[in-house]
Amino acid sequence: MIDLSEQDIKILKLLQSDADRSSSDIAEILNMSQSPCWRRINQLIQKDIINKKVAVLNREKLGIDLVAFSTINLRETRRRHLEEFEDRVKEFEEVVECYTMTGSWDYMLKIVVRDIRQYEKFVRSKLLELPMIGEVHSHLAVTEIKNTTELPLNTQL
C-alpha cells in the first residue's frame, strides 16, 4: 500500500467526486497554493493512483435500462479455460465488470443492455457461444439503490 498524506486523500476525494475540477479549484477548496496542489495531483497520476479521468454517463437517459448480474460456472477450470474465458469476456462491451468468485460460482459479470430482449440476445449469441461455459444464472436488478465509482477513502485509508 502506498503512503498518502492527508492532503493527498482530500485531493483524491475531490477528484473522484468531480474529475473536472482544476488544480486551482482544488487548491482553493483545500486552502493551499495552486503549484503544490498541481504537483501532488501529477504525483498521484505518476504513482498510478489516479488511473484515468472519465465521464460517468447516465445509462437510463441513454435508454440502457437493464442491469443484470450473471453468475458463471465453466465446464472445467483448467488454466487454459480460465484464460480463454477471461480474454473473450473482455471483448464484450455489454460486460462492464467481471470478477472471479469464491464459493459456488467461478465468475460474476455485470452486464448492461437496453432491455430484456437485448440481454437474451447477448446471452444466446455471445455468452453461450463460448465453449467453456457450463452454467449461466441471471440475476436482474430491479431498483438501483446505490451506484458509485467513489472509493471509501474515509474508512479505508
Side-chain angles (χ1 to χ4, degrees), residues 133-146:
I133 296 277
E135 294 178 75
V136 176
H137 292 262
S138 299
H139 313 273
L140 304 180
V142 177
T143 304
E144 183 175 278
I145 307 302
K146 182 177 181 180

Side-chain angles (χ1 to χ4, degrees), residues 74 81-89 107 130 132-133:
L74 303 184
H81 291 107
L82 298 171
E83 290 173 354
E84 184 181 353
F85 173 78
E86 291 168 10
D87 288 343
R88 296 289 303 276
V89 84
Y107 292 93
L130 301 177
M132 74 288 295
I133 296 277

Side-chain angles (χ1 to χ4, degrees), residues 4 8-16 44 49-50 153:
L4 297 172
D8 291 335
I9 293 169
K10 288 177 182 176
I11 289 169
L12 291 171
K13 285 176 61 178
L14 289 168
L15 283 174
Q16 76 173 351
L44 293 167
I49 292 170
I50 298 173
L153 302 181

Side-chain angles (χ1 to χ4, degrees), residues 6 15 42 55 106 118 125 134:
E6 193 175 314
L15 283 174
N42 280 326
D106 296 328
Q118 289 299 311
S125 67

